[in-house]
Amino acid sequence: METVPDTTWKAVIEMSLDMPFNQLKKIDQETMVSTGLESDILRLDEQAVHDRCKFGVILVKEGQTKEEEWLSNEHDSEKLDRFLQIIGRRVALQGYAGWAGGLDRRSGDSGEHTFVEDWKEHNIAYHVSTLIPSRQGDKQQVQKKRHIGNDIVCIVFAEGKQPFNPAAIKSQFLHVFIVVHEEEWEGKTGWRVEVAMAEPVPAFSPALPEKSTFFHESELRSFILAKRKFFFYLLTL
């Protein structure tokens, strides 16, 4: 029998059903979708684990328009690293005692480091695509997609001028993409932000500032973290 590692999902299911996880049967994705179980479990996750939040983070370089290109990028962008330091703190995964959003904290399979944050009683974990090891010959980068494709909100750090197309990422879970560009105005660094949806979603707070641009790191951080919080509140209505 397949061994399921101890994760937040496993604990929530055992607690909700009041039965050991090993008594459950594995079912395929087609059955999950056709019976509506997938949607029910997603809602359970957002309601039961409301103090834990996950973000996907991907890097889009100049001229890149495809998911395969984005997920193959390495962690070599100073601008991305500067942005990650604004929204979280870097921690070593091996032996990390906090919540890491399902990333492997033992074998190094999910990489050596990640970014996390504590914000208004929420534990936040980032699935940073450039920090999860790329695998040669794996065009789809399944290891990265396994984490980011199961998030609901993804931060897209875009270095190029090309528009971001949410439909380019194949995922049943990703709904909201917060697209961030670091730019210069008269010698001053700022971050231009767009919010893109994979499918129609009602407008939700907080609203973007004038010209959709932030010049203070604290304001940028608060906007991104609050945007995710209010989106999940909207899901539970």
Side-chain angles (χ1 to χ4, degrees), residues 27 37 58 87 95 111 114 129 153 179-180 190:
I27 59 176
L37 184 58
I58 61 174
I87 63 171
T114 193
S129 65
V153 176
V179 187
V180 180

Side-chain angles (χ1 to χ4, degrees), residues 165-193:
N165 178 16
I169 294 186
K170 303 174 182 65
S171 170
Q172 294 182 351
F173 293 97
L174 287 171
H175 283 66
V176 177
F177 298 87
I178 302 174
V179 187
V180 180
H181 309 258
E182 180 184 306
E183 298 178 348
E184 296 284 334
W185 288 271
E186 300 178 352
K188 189 175 182 181
T189 300
W191 293 267
R192 180 168 55 86
V193 178

Side-chain angles (χ1 to χ4, degrees), residues 40-58:
D40 291 341
I41 291 180
L42 179 60
R43 184 172 294 275
L44 170 66
D45 179 47
E46 300 309 331
Q47 292 177 340
V49 198
H50 54 80
D51 62 336
R52 290 177 171 178
C53 303
K54 302 178 296 178
F55 282 92
V57 180
I58 61 174

Side-chain angles (χ1 to χ4, degrees), residues 119 204-206 221-231:
W119 182 76
F204 57 98
S205 299
R221 175 179 177 273
S222 294
F223 172 84
I224 288 176
L225 298 181
K227 199 68 173 174
R228 187 198 191 282
K229 176 183 177 182
F230 277 97
F231 175 68

Side-chain angles (χ1 to χ4, degrees), residues 88-108:
R89 67 182 188 278
R90 186 183 179 102
V91 297
L93 271 174
Q94 188 158 9
Y96 177 58
W99 185 65
L103 294 174
D104 187 345
R105 294 173 293 174
R106 297 180 181 177
S107 69

